[in-house]
């Protein structure tokens, strides 16, 4: 059996080199496809390009062979060439480092030395069936692949396999990536995600408990203020009565804030499962609920044909109610309020094609577009309380509802012209 | 602990029982009844156990059952829900109109209360004025509009 050794002293096999280059290119391409997003892929790209160029140059001279050899040696992926007997014929420095061998000390050893003990015995059989099958592929197909270092330590690996040559001269080319760092990073991310989810849950529960429990003593303060106002009317002078009035006002404002906070936290703590929701029926309900406010404002509300979306009926109702109330509230003086709710073809900020766009536009006082993100913040108000009432939670609740639906809400304002709120929600079927 | 505001004038009128562990709330509720010129004797107990004892005692002494009961939900020991369930499963007591009167606005509390047989579910309003209004509504319904069930224990 003739085995072409591939090392620095005897670099004299141009045809094999060429095949090797092509094979390694495909191994690396497999690896690259898998890890392009997480792995430092730039060196791999360079290596593949270099191998491709070397292959096209019809390597003839020792000079070019040495260049190719250097490319393989410099590869950030481990590369092993294994013959039909399982003997390692070439190992680049990265492969040696992964398995904790000194450079070139892997050559001549059995590839089975690198296989975990539990599968070592049946590995020769796997190897020969791969040679029969002759199909380049990733090893493991989704399962975790492990290797054993010289010190007996098992490490997680990503492995791509390809082959070259025929019969007894065939070689299996093994691309190896050490994914220990990746696994560790994944574990850290998983741990942090778990912690984050717990923090969010705790915060939601805290907001719920706080807003619920804080209302109790506040309710009593309010009652005592009223008792003072009624039973002690004769003994409290006018200044005292003014103070009691202010106290009552402040307490009621705080009650409003706690109520909004409670509603806000309920979006996640009291969420209902999603169902098919025809937005036109939602809008019909909302307009009926708001009929008094709409006729008081003499507003004109137009609703176009709207899609059926996937969502929480009650929350979507609240979403549109908040937006329409907002439009009515921030109307321009001496201009009749006109609110238009219609479907649009605008693509979502993330280009997700399953999201459909619904716009709520009005001809109200609008806002400076500089604030188009700020207005969604909790308790954020653009106007003084003396001018417009409210707790500054309406739009924050809207955003939270839309985010729970994995959609988007974007505001666009023009001072003294009006505002447009574009909402993207998961569409269920064509209109 | 049983508290009563019964006086000479109210003798003969069906009593109203307030079940609430919060003495301040009991105070506010009684005040709201008085503002509405309700002269029925107002009894109050601070727990579910005491409410059930109150009804047992009425039974033994052949006294009138309450013509109306305001029941708080969140109480230590035998809570509002269990008290409600025991009353509504009792052959005689079930006729007593029970208004669940609580700070809760949670849908599940509303659903459970009605499922256990509550006659009404009302969230405690914010401020005394609101409370007076709510009590006025309760009284109007239970003492005028609805035909009072026979609650005497002959």
């Amino acid at each position: 059996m003739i085995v072409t050794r591939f090392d620095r002293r005897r670099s004299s096999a141009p045809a094999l080199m060429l095949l090797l280059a092509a094979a390694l290119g495909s191994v690396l391409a497999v690896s690259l496809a898998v890890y392009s997003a997480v792995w430092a892929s730039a060196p791999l790209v360079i290596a593949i390009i270099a191998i491709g160029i070397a292959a096209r140059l019809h390597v003839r001279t020792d000079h070019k062979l040495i260049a190719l050899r250097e490319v393989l040696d410099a590869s950030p992926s481990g590369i092993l060439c294994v013959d039909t007997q399982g003997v390692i014929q070439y190992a680049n420095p990265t492969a040696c480092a992964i398995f904790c061998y000194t450079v070139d000390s892997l050559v001549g050893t059995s590839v089975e030395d690198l296989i975990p003990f539990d599968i070592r015995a049946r590995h020769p059989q796997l190897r020969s069936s791969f040679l029969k099958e002759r199909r380049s592929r990733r090893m493991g197909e989704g399962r975790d692949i492990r290797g054993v270092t010289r010190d007996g330590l098992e490490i997680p690996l990503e492995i791509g396999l390809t082959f070259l040559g025929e019969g007894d001269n065939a070689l299996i080319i093994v691309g190896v990536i050490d994914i220990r760092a990746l696994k560790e990073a994944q574990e850290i991310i998983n741990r942090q995600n778990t912690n984050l989810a717990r923090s969010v849950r705790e915060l939601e529960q805290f907001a719920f408990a706080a807003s619920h429990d804080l209302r109790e003593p506040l309710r009593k303060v309010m009652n005592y203020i009223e008792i003072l106002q009624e039973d002690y009317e004769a003994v409290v002078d006018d200044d005292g009565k003014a103070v009691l009035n202010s106290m009552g006002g402040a307490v009621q404002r705080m009650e409003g804030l706690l109520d909004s906070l409670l509603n806000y936290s309920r979006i996640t703590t009291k969420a209902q499962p999603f169902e098919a929701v025809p937005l036109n029926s939602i809008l019909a309900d909302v307009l009926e609920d708001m009929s008094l406010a709409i006729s008081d404002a003499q507003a004109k509300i137009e609703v176009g044909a709207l899609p059926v979306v996937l969502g929480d009926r009650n929350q979507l109702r609240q979403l549109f109610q908040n937006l329409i109330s907002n439009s009515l509230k921030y109307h321009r003086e001496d201009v009749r309020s006109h609110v238009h709710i219609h479907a649009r073809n605008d693509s979502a900020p993330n280009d997700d094609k399953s999201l459909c766009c619904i716009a709520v536009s009005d001809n109200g006082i609008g806002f400076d577009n500089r604030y188009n993100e700020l207005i969604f913040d909790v308790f954020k108000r653009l106007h003084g309380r003396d001018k417009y009432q409210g707790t500054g939670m309406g739009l924050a609740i809207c955003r939270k509802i839309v985010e729970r639906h994995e959609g988007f809400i974007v505001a666009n304002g023009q001072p003294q012209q009006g505002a447009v709120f574009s909402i993207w929600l998961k569409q269920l079927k064509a209109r | 602990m049983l508290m009563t505001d019964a006086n000479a004038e109210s003798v003969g009128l069906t009593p109203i029982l307030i079940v609430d562990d919060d003495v301040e709330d009991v105070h506010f509720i009684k005040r709201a009844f008085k503002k509405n010129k309700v002269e029925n004797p107002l009894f109050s107990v601070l727990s579910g156990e005491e409410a059930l004892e109150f009804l047992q005692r009425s039974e033994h002494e052949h006294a009138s059952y309450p013509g109306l009961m305001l029941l708080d939900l969140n109480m230590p020991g035998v809570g509002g829900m269990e008290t409600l369930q025991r009353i509504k499963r009792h052959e005689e007591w079930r006729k007593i109109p029970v208004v669940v009167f609580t700070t809760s606005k949670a849908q599940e509390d509303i659903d459970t209360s009605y499922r256990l047989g509550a006659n009404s579910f009302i969230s405690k309003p914010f401020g005394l004025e609101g409370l007076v209004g709510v009590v006025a509504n309760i009284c109007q319904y239970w003492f005028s509009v609805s035909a009072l069930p026979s609650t005497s224990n002959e």
Side-chain angles (χ1 to χ4, degrees):
Chain A
M1 183 182 70
I2 299 157
V3 174
T4 312
R5 287 268 172 139
F6 180 56
D7 59 41
R8 200 162 269 137
R9 289 179 302 280
R10 295 170 54 205
S11 51
S12 56
L16 179 61
M17 287 297 289
L18 208 59
L19 275 167
L20 202 55
L24 289 175
S26 66
V27 168
L28 289 171
V30 170
S31 313
L32 187 65
V34 175
Y35 279 102
S36 56
V38 278
W39 213 243
S41 54
L44 281 180
V45 175
I46 293 163
I48 290 167
I49 292 168
I51 289 165
I53 291 168
R56 281 202 197 88
L57 283 175
H58 299 288
V59 181
R60 276 190 214 123
T61 65
D62 280 0
H63 177 71
K64 278 172 185 156
L65 273 174
I66 289 162
L68 181 52
R69 163 74 197 227
E70 275 169 7
V71 167
L72 296 180
D73 280 356
S75 164
S77 282
I79 296 161
L80 298 169
C81 300
V82 181
D83 68 16
T84 52
Q85 301 303 302
V87 178
I88 295 170
Q89 297 298 334
Y90 167 75
N92 73 349
T94 309
C96 296
I98 289 172
F99 293 104
C100 298
Y101 285 79
T102 54
V103 176
D104 284 347
S105 65
L106 264 176
V107 174
T109 65
S110 166
V111 74
E112 265 76 47
D113 289 351
L114 308 178
I115 308 298
F117 302 102
D118 52 337
I119 42 175
R120 190 173 284 183
R122 57 194 167 92
H123 191 259
Q125 197 198 330
L126 294 172
R127 208 160 24 81
S128 57
S129 68
F130 173 70
L131 272 170
K132 266 184 222 132
E133 191 188 343
R134 295 184 71 93
R135 182 171 63 90
S136 299
R137 61 176 171 88
R138 269 181 65 197
M139 210 170 159
E141 315 266 317
R143 278 176 295 117
D144 280 354
I145 297 293
R146 293 159 295 134
V148 176
T149 67
R150 186 170 205 166
D151 319 320
L153 182 71
E154 278 196 14
I155 53 170
L157 299 173
E158 189 68 40
I159 292 178
L161 295 175
T162 190
F163 53 85
L164 55 94
E166 297 285 341
D168 284 349
N169 288 330
L171 284 176
I172 297 176
I173 315 297
V174 188
V176 185
I177 296 178
D178 177 0
I179 55 171
R180 263 178 294 186
L182 181 74
K183 286 268 175 194
E184 274 164 28
Q186 269 175 346
E187 262 165 44
I188 291 170
I189 289 172
N190 286 347
R191 210 162 43 235
Q192 285 175 341
N193 272 345
T194 311
N195 286 344
L196 198 64
R198 197 183 50 232
S199 294
V200 168
R201 205 170 47 243
E202 281 169 0
L203 205 62
E204 278 160 358
Q205 282 164 354
F206 172 78
F208 181 80
S211 46
H212 184 262
D213 296 350
L214 290 179
R215 280 184 100 233
E216 271 311 289
L218 200 66
R219 200 166 51 83
K220 285 176 185 160
V221 171
M222 190 68 215
N223 289 353
Y224 286 125
I225 290 171
E226 284 179 53
I227 288 178
L228 272 176
Q229 285 172 327
E230 286 175 18
D231 295 5
Y232 299 85
E233 206 198 348
V235 290
V236 179
D237 67 9
D238 285 351
D239 284 353
K241 280 173 189 153
V243 169
L244 283 176
N245 261 334
S246 305
M247 268 175 80
V251 167
Q252 266 169 340
R253 229 170 22 251
M254 182 148 172
E255 199 268 335
L257 292 174
L258 289 175
D259 212 35
S260 312
L261 201 60
L262 193 60
N263 286 336
Y264 184 77
S265 69
R266 275 193 175 133
I267 295 169
T268 41
T269 54
K270 305 284 168 196
Q272 296 294 311
F274 288 167
E275 56 179 327
V277 181
L279 287 182
N280 277 105
S281 87
I282 290 285
L283 260 298
D285 290 350
V286 169
L287 294 187
E288 199 184 309
D289 286 353
M290 297 182 69
S291 57
L292 203 65
I294 291 167
S295 65
D296 277 356
Q298 294 191 306
K300 186 180 169 200
I301 316 272
E302 262 183 89
V303 181
L306 300 175
V308 177
V309 299
L310 187 68
D312 181 327
R313 180 172 279 275
N314 290 335
Q315 293 188 351
L316 292 176
R317 211 167 140 150
Q318 193 179 4
L319 169 71
F320 284 99
Q321 178 151 351
N322 284 10
L323 288 175
I324 295 169
S325 314
N326 232 43
S327 288
L328 296 185
K329 185 158 129 192
Y330 298 106
H331 67 276
R332 260 181 293 162
E333 257 174 69
D334 55 70
V335 177
R336 192 178 162 207
S337 235
H338 189 169
V339 186
H340 196 190
I341 301 119
H342 61 287
R344 275 199 189 172
N345 278 328
D346 300 8
S347 53
N350 68 345
D351 265 337
D352 185 341
K353 297 286 178 247
S354 65
L355 298 179
C356 57
C357 179
I358 303 105
V360 178
S361 49
D362 66 46
N363 59 344
I365 59 165
F367 55 86
D368 189 328
N369 223 22
R370 266 187 300 173
Y371 303 124
N372 70 345
E373 274 299 307
L374 201 75
I375 55 175
F376 291 108
D377 284 358
V378 172
F379 294 137
K380 193 61 80 179
R381 307 165 48 92
L382 294 185
H383 305 276
R385 225 180 25 243
D386 49 334
K387 218 166 164 196
Y388 295 98
Q389 290 196 330
T391 56
M393 284 297 278
L395 289 176
I397 287 173
C398 287
R399 171 154 280 181
K400 186 139 190 206
I401 289 173
V402 171
E403 279 174 357
R404 192 198 151 216
H405 285 73
E406 288 172 15
F408 295 90
I409 181 164
V410 171
N412 244 303
Q414 255 194 313
Q416 297 310 315
Q417 299 281 315
V420 182
F421 288 89
S422 305
I423 306 148
W424 284 269
L425 293 166
K426 195 133 296 199
Q427 180 160 14
L428 212 67
K429 60 179 185 211
R431 291 195 291 280
Chain B
M1 176 170 48
L2 179 69
M3 293 185 284
T4 170
D5 287 27
N7 54 36
E9 298 151 43
S10 62
V11 173
L13 292 170
T14 44
I16 294 168
L17 180 63
I18 301 159
V19 189
D20 199 320
D21 65 320
D22 188 324
V23 279
E24 285 174 295
D25 268 359
V26 170
H27 174 71
F28 296 137
I29 294 168
K30 285 185 175 172
R31 189 186 160 96
F33 272 106
K34 287 191 185 126
K35 281 246 160 199
N36 279 297
K37 312 231 178 329
V38 172
E39 286 170 355
N40 301 53
L42 298 172
F43 292 98
S44 58
V45 290
L46 296 172
S47 70
E49 288 97 328
E50 288 178 41
L52 297 169
E53 279 166 25
F54 181 94
L55 297 181
Q56 273 158 7
R57 205 166 39 245
S58 304
E59 198 171 5
H60 290 142
E61 293 169 5
H62 300 284
S64 284
Y65 283 133
L68 177 67
M69 196 166 148
L70 297 191
L71 177 65
D72 184 25
L73 283 187
N74 192 13
M75 291 183 292
V78 178
M81 289 297 184
E82 197 183 331
T83 309
L84 176 64
Q85 189 170 27
R86 290 209 205 159
I87 291 170
K88 290 301 176 181
R89 279 185 181 173
H90 191 280
E91 203 182 331
E92 284 298 316
W93 301 354
R94 59 199 291 264
K95 295 174 190 163
I96 302 166
V98 178
V99 175
V100 172
F101 197 54
T102 171
T103 48
S104 168
K105 288 179 184 171
Q107 192 60 43
E108 65 229 58
D109 284 342
I110 298 173
D111 294 345
T112 312
S113 297
Y114 282 121
R115 189 166 46 76
L116 295 181
N119 301 82
S120 190
F121 184 104
I122 297 174
S123 286
K124 287 178 186 170
F126 197 79
L128 273 186
E129 218 175 302
L131 189 63
V132 171
V134 164
V135 167
N137 276 330
I138 295 174
C139 293
Q140 184 173 6
Y141 187 73
W142 291 113
F143 292 120
S144 330
V145 180
S146 81
L148 266 179
S150 164
T151 51
S152 56
N153 187 25
E154 265 113 15

